[in-house]
Amino acid sequence: VGTTLVSPVVLMLSRTFVCCLVLCTLVWQTQSATSDITRDFIMEGQAHGDKRSWPELVGNSFEEAKQVISAEAPDVQKIISVPEGSFVTMDYSLQRVRVFMKDDKVAGAPMRG
């Protein structure tokens, strides 16, 4: 009687363990592949020697920052003034630079993205 109760329980636990192991492996592989794609996408701009940020522009006006960014990164298509603390979209674009402003001055280093 004891063995008939143990066998189904052991079988159920082993199946559950295998399912969990397979699921965890799939999740890990997906996250690993996604992080590789993200890393490659972000590094794409660095591979060509493109400048990615301009910390020296903190404290300047938006127009001054825009002129410097345009001169140093002619491939940038959009230079956007954004009030500091504003919500922005999470998409990543090497052709866009967001310039966070506070009191009509650049508040943080403008960055591609």
Side-chain angles (χ1 to χ4, degrees):
V1 175
T3 57
T4 57
L5 290 177
V6 171
S7 295
V9 170
V10 169
L11 184 61
M12 182 182 73
L13 289 175
S14 64
R15 284 183 182 167
T16 303
F17 176 75
V18 169
C19 288
C20 288
L21 185 62
V22 168
L23 182 62
C24 289
T25 303
L26 290 174
V27 168
W28 177 79
Q29 287 175 348
T30 303
Q31 288 177 343
S32 178
T34 302
S35 65
D36 289 346
I37 291 168
T38 303
R39 184 196 68 241
D40 292 344
F41 183 69
I42 291 171
M43 296 300 285
E44 177 185 323
Q46 294 177 346
H48 303 292
D50 295 336
K51 189 165 181 180
R52 295 201 43 212
S53 67
W54 291 263
E56 69 275 10
L57 297 178
V58 173
N60 290 358
S61 70
F62 176 71
E63 290 305 318
E64 292 169 335
K66 189 174 181 177
Q67 287 176 353
V68 171
I69 295 166
S70 295
E72 293 183 2
D75 62 312
V76 171
Q77 297 171 359
K78 294 181 183 178
I79 302 171
I80 305 167
S81 174
V82 182
E84 185 181 42
S86 296
F87 289 102
V88 294
T89 59
M90 296 301 294
D91 61 316
Y92 189 86
S93 172
L94 292 172
Q95 285 74 40
R96 176 184 60 215
V97 174
R98 290 187 178 122
V99 182
F100 289 93
M101 305 293 294
K102 182 177 180 180
D103 301 327
D104 297 324
K105 299 290 181 190
V106 176
M111 296 179 66
R112 287 181 186 254

